[in-house]
Amino acid sequence: MNIRFLKWSVFLIILCYNHSVFSQGFQVNFLSQRQQGMGLAGSAAPYDASALFCNPGSTVFLDENNLVAGVTPVFGNVMFVDSSTQTAYRSNSPVGTPFSVYGMFQLKPAAKLKFGLSINTPFGSTIQYEDNWIGRFALTRLELKAIFIQPTFAYRITDHIGIGGGFVISKGKVNLQKDIPVQDSSGTYGHAELAGKAIGFGYNLGIYFNPSKQLSIGLSYRSKISMNLPNGEATFTVPNGLAANFPNGGFTGSLPLPSVTTLGFAYHPCSAFTVVLDINRVGWKAYDTLAFDYAINTSSLLDTKSPRLYKSIFAFRSGVEIKPCKSLALRIGGGYGFCPVPSGYVTPETPDGNRIYGTLGIGYSFCEKFCVDASFYYTKITRSDTNLETNLSGTYTTIALAPGLSISYKW
Amino acid sequence: MVKRNSFFKQIVFVCLFGITLTSCKPKENLLPNTPGEINLQQFVAIGDGNTAGYMDDALYQYGQQNSLGAILQTQLQLVGAGEIYNPLMGSANIGANSSLLSKLILGYKTDCLGATGLSPVRFAQQGEALTASVYSSQNKYSNFGVPGLRMIDMVSTSFGNINLPQHNAFFARMSKDQFNLPGSGNYSSVQENIFDGGYPTFCSIYLGIEDVLPYARSGATQNPMSPLVGLPGLGFEESLTQLCGQLYSQNIKAVVGTIPDITQMPYFTTIPYNGLNLDDEKAASLNQIYGPLGFSFSVGSNPFMIEDPAAGAFGVRPMVEGELILLSVPLDSMKCHQYGSVYPLRDEFVLTLAELQEIRNQILAYNQVIRQHSNFYGFAIAETADFYAKLYDGFVYNGVAMSSKFVSGGAYSLDGIHLNPRGNALLANVFIKAINKTYKSSIPFANALFYSSTYFP
């Protein structure tokens, strides 16, 4: 046990007992292990093929072909304390597995044109609450998955400016479940499951500028994507006497994945030291209403329009990388994001609040071509609210840990 | 190289250490439960069928276990109340009402038009017997809810006297007299039973509904409401003063419920006054019949016709908005035999505006007395009227829509008068709110979704 060990331990312990709060819907920012080590920032400091997604314009300053694959298991735990009964209910969500695969290519060394493919999961969440929890009639489980496939091209205009863009195909699925407050003769409650495959399209643009060797600036814009469920399937389990009121059948719906605008700065006074700062603007205002339109309506099954009224938010992220030697990089960072969910609209799907988080990371090059990056992310979010639609009132506390790992091969 | 490897291992170790250290689960920081200024060593719930758990037009075990009294005590147990002792009915949950009919359940019924639909039906041919005594000197009841108990019955010695035809069988089976028959021939009152073998330290009192309900249920034709004035046992106010005074003299604290507007209950509100739907032909034929009296009918919805001795020479008139039809009305006759149109509804099935005014005024007068005396003795006041009114308007509780709609509203049992377990839990919360406020206690509310609502076949 040396001093370093103790420092790390103390840092972790402080993080774990930090009671600060909160923020950002179902966005998942686990895109690059290096960024995950540096507070999820670094869009202006291209490092590997993950730049295809983080800022496509920056890729043209990486003189290499590169393949990167990474995964970040997310261990998330939500606890809801109902204010009136003073009872705690917990989530037992499965481990989330955001992943990313990037391939970036050039036709010759130092080529002005770069092309590549980015496949990752910048949005999604699976949350499942314990059986019989007090909010069971609002939600028992939500699984939201979106895989972004983005073919990308980038071009170096001058030695200081690069631009890039990609077309995004988002394939996803949604599975929403809740109990229905009707009981059969044994007292068992009804259940509703709304499931469907969704698809959406968007784009990703980036411009990168390095006025000097020490400073670089990046601006990128990922468009909003409307995930449409044209052929959802609604399945209801209810007492026989009410089967006619809850007919199984199709439904349609739509869920917006908001735009993300990122202004990034990177400063590296010497090769062993880099500081990065990213400012995100996330267009959550797009999430105004969650609507379900059922193919067959009855007096018990009407189309629903639940107001969400999210607000667009800013998030600030920053981190540092130190390279004690050429093959080793140590990273630390953190950030703060404002919550897009206004008071009165917090739901069990996204029990979100303003978010403060910390990250650690390490990178190690085994040789010129092959390197491994690992990161660790921690956040604790608390949010108290009374939902205006369901009157569910209490405090959500979320703790999320996300250790991530990626391998990279370049040539 | 060796050094780097060991450092890498350390980092992995620290990460794992961090994960296990916090186990990444949020900690529960719940507010402490405190009794405040009340002593819950001996809690007793006093009241009528609501407190007893009468529901679905019967007293049965599951209802008793999910009564206002039982749910309230369950929450009070979090701050020191003892075990719940109910005068339980049989475990088969057949139940009995005062006519010895079983409980109602939701079943299928075919009406006179041949349409089969969900409807309350009796669970069994016959209800449970109420003759066997359940009294035990070992375990004093913590629930003295008696279906049918009026405020003015508290000190009555004929209430449990099985030799009298008008005695209350629900009380008789739980009274100590049944175990130890009085030699004098004098039977003990509800109040004597409550105080027998030691005074309680805290009481909930929810009485008064039965002082008006039987009158309302008869369409204001019989079962007169308890007069406000009169000696204990006759008048509402003095009966209440007597009870409150007794409690106060023994330093017993209490929470007292006010009386809701019973005319907002589904028993009175399910059938709309203007539910008479007519086509061309029927409207014409009714116009022929009632035209000479000056009443006219049109295609679509029309008010039902009722008997009203005050209405002109023929004592018949159409209903007006605000008047109520009782659920006791023969529905098949209305659907198939022109009852409510050609044949006017009898007085016993209808509450007219004047009758409603009389009932509501009486409730207001009772409530004024309840508030006045409760304040005088420093008791907590549970404003149940607000809760019933909120239910009448409808509200959402933790994602579940609650209302006073018959069957689908989720709070009333199938008799349309008494609450079901979920309704009782919501009502218990009104009492808890009052206790917390008056006695500076911190008792958590019941989770009403833990308690069941109507079961569907």
Side-chain angles (χ1 to χ4, degrees), chain A residues 5-299:
Chain A
F5 175 85
L6 281 174
K7 278 182 182 164
W8 281 60
S9 311
V10 167
F11 177 71
L12 274 167
I13 291 165
I14 290 168
L15 278 177
C16 296
Y17 288 95
N18 165 356
H19 282 258
S20 305
V21 273
F22 326 90
S23 123
Q24 349 9 39
F26 38 85
Q27 195 183 358
V28 182
N29 280 301
F30 300 146
L31 309 168
S32 144
Q33 291 300 322
R34 189 198 189 210
Q35 290 203 9
Q36 283 168 245
M38 295 195 291
L40 310 178
S43 69
Y47 171 69
D48 60 18
S50 64
L52 287 167
F53 192 79
C54 301
N55 183 340
S58 69
T59 55
V60 287
F61 294 90
L62 295 168
D63 184 16
E64 64 199 33
N65 296 291
N66 184 207
L67 288 173
V68 184
V71 65
T72 307
V74 181
F75 301 89
N77 278 288
V78 181
M79 177 183 75
F80 177 72
V81 174
D82 178 64
S83 59
S84 79
T85 61
Q86 280 298 303
T87 314
Y89 303 91
R90 293 178 181 277
S91 66
N92 46 23
S93 311
V95 176
T97 51
F99 70 91
S100 53
V101 179
Y102 303 103
M104 176 178 74
F105 311 100
Q106 57 188 4
L107 293 172
K108 58 177 190 194
K112 287 193 162 184
L113 180 72
K114 272 271 184 350
F115 56 94
L117 185 68
S118 147
I119 302 171
N120 59 9
T121 53
F123 291 96
S125 78
T126 300
I127 188 160
Q128 175 159 359
Y129 288 89
E130 68 176 83
D131 288 347
N132 305 333
W133 87 290
I134 196 162
R136 65 196 290 187
F137 303 109
L139 184 81
T140 55
R141 186 175 198 270
L142 174 70
E143 185 184 353
L144 196 66
K145 278 194 175 146
I147 297 176
F148 276 33
I149 302 163
Q150 179 196 313
T152 313
F153 288 91
Y155 188 73
R156 190 168 70 238
I157 298 172
T158 72
D159 284 352
H160 298 287
I161 300 174
I163 56 168
F167 176 69
V168 179
I169 304 158
S170 171
K171 290 195 66 162
K173 67 175 199 174
V174 176
N175 184 304
L176 186 152
Q177 297 181 38
K178 56 184 178 178
D179 288 336
I180 308 174
V182 291
Q183 288 170 282
D184 68 13
S185 53
S186 63
T188 309
Y189 283 102
H191 191 73
E193 180 174 353
L194 306 181
K197 288 202 165 87
I199 193 153
F201 304 96
Y203 57 90
N204 184 353
L205 301 173
I207 181 163
Y208 175 85
F209 175 53
N210 58 352
S212 72
K213 262 200 141 71
Q214 283 80 33
L215 182 69
S216 50
I217 302 165
L219 180 66
S220 69
Y221 176 77
R222 283 192 274 134
S223 72
K224 169 193 149 180
I225 296 179
S226 287
M227 295 296 285
N228 293 313
L229 286 94
N231 297 309
E233 207 170 302
T235 313
F236 301 101
T237 313
V238 291
N240 291 333
L242 291 172
N245 298 50
F246 294 94
N248 293 337
F251 76 92
T252 58
S254 167
L255 188 73
L257 306 179
S259 65
V260 180
T261 310
T262 304
L263 178 63
F265 301 92
Y267 181 62
H268 32 117
C270 60
S271 62
F273 186 75
T274 308
V275 187
V276 292
L277 169 70
D278 275 14
I279 300 167
N280 288 154
R281 174 73 174 169
V282 187
W284 277 112
K285 199 173 190 310
Y287 196 20
D288 182 69
T289 308
L290 180 64
F292 292 111
D293 186 347
Y294 297 100
I296 311 165
N297 289 121
T298 69
S299 59

Side-chain angles (χ1 to χ4, degrees), chain B residues 144-218:
Chain B
F144 270 93
V146 183
L149 180 68
R150 297 174 293 180
M151 182 71 84
I152 60 169
D153 292 327
M154 282 298 287
V155 291
S156 162
T157 51
S158 51
F159 192 65
N161 184 345
I162 52 171
N163 301 314
L164 299 172
Q166 76 273 27
H167 81 277
N168 183 303
F170 296 108
F171 175 58
R173 65 186 279 277
M174 63 190 282
S175 168
K176 63 188 174 111
D177 302 335
Q178 296 304 300
F179 190 71
N180 184 15
L181 275 174
S184 64
N186 286 332
Y187 283 75
S188 53
S189 67
V190 176
Q191 193 163 307
E192 281 172 79
N193 269 270
I194 293 169
F195 295 156
D196 185 49
Y199 289 98
T201 56
F202 186 70
C203 287
S204 69
I205 300 165
Y206 187 37
L207 283 168
I209 288 183
E210 291 292 338
D211 293 76
V212 285
L213 183 64
Y215 180 66
R217 286 186 72 166
S218 75

Side-chain angles (χ1 to χ4, degrees), chain A residues 4-5 12-13 16 77 79 84-86 89-90 134 137 183-185 189 241 325 364 390-392 397 401, chain B residues 1 4 7 13-14 21-22 24 26-27 30-31 108 396 398-400 422 444-445 449 452-453 455-457:
Chain A
R4 258 202 204 108
F5 175 85
L12 274 167
I13 291 165
C16 296
N77 278 288
M79 177 183 75
S84 79
T85 61
Q86 280 298 303
Y89 303 91
R90 293 178 181 277
I134 196 162
F137 303 109
Q183 288 170 282
D184 68 13
S185 53
Y189 283 102
C325 60
Y364 185 75
T390 60
N391 284 323
L392 206 55
T397 307
L401 300 176
Chain B
M1 201 64 194
R4 275 177 200 160
F7 180 57
F13 181 73
V14 168
L21 188 75
T22 62
C24 72
K27 283 198 176 48
L30 304 178
L31 298 175
Y108 291 98
V396 177
N398 287 329
V400 179
R422 183 166 303 156
F445 293 105
L449 299 183
S452 62
S453 182
Y455 287 0
F456 286 83

Side-chain angles (χ1 to χ4, degrees), chain B residues 24-176:
Chain B
C24 72
K25 293 228 162 144
K27 283 198 176 48
E28 294 176 16
N29 291 317
L30 304 178
L31 298 175
N33 305 328
T34 53
E37 296 165 359
I38 54 173
N39 170 6
L40 286 157
Q41 208 169 1
Q42 186 71 53
F43 168 74
V44 171
I46 303 167
D48 54 28
N50 294 283
T51 301
Y54 187 97
M55 58 183 72
D56 300 321
D57 195 29
L59 189 67
Y60 64 99
Q61 194 177 92
Y62 184 76
Q64 293 177 294
Q65 288 160 342
N66 294 280
S67 62
L68 170 66
I71 296 172
L72 182 56
Q73 193 173 352
T74 301
Q75 296 309 113
L76 294 178
Q77 282 175 335
L78 298 171
V79 289
E83 225 179 302
I84 300 170
Y85 289 110
N86 277 314
L88 287 179
M89 299 285 287
S91 58
N93 279 308
I94 296 164
N97 65 11
S98 57
S99 312
L100 298 182
L101 294 171
S102 79
K103 68 175 177 183
L104 293 168
I105 58 165
L106 208 53
Y108 291 98
K109 204 171 174 178
T110 305
D111 67 9
C112 56
L113 297 166
T116 302
L118 290 172
S119 172
V121 295
R122 292 287 164 192
F123 174 69
Q125 293 283 335
Q126 208 172 355
E128 292 175 51
L130 293 171
T131 42
S133 173
V134 287
Y135 176 79
S136 154
S137 59
Q138 304 298 311
N139 297 324
K140 188 175 164 178
Y141 302 126
S142 60
N143 190 333
F144 270 93
V146 183
L149 180 68
R150 297 174 293 180
M151 182 71 84
I152 60 169
D153 292 327
M154 282 298 287
V155 291
S156 162
T157 51
S158 51
F159 192 65
N161 184 345
I162 52 171
N163 301 314
L164 299 172
Q166 76 273 27
H167 81 277
N168 183 303
F170 296 108
F171 175 58
R173 65 186 279 277
M174 63 190 282
S175 168
K176 63 188 174 111

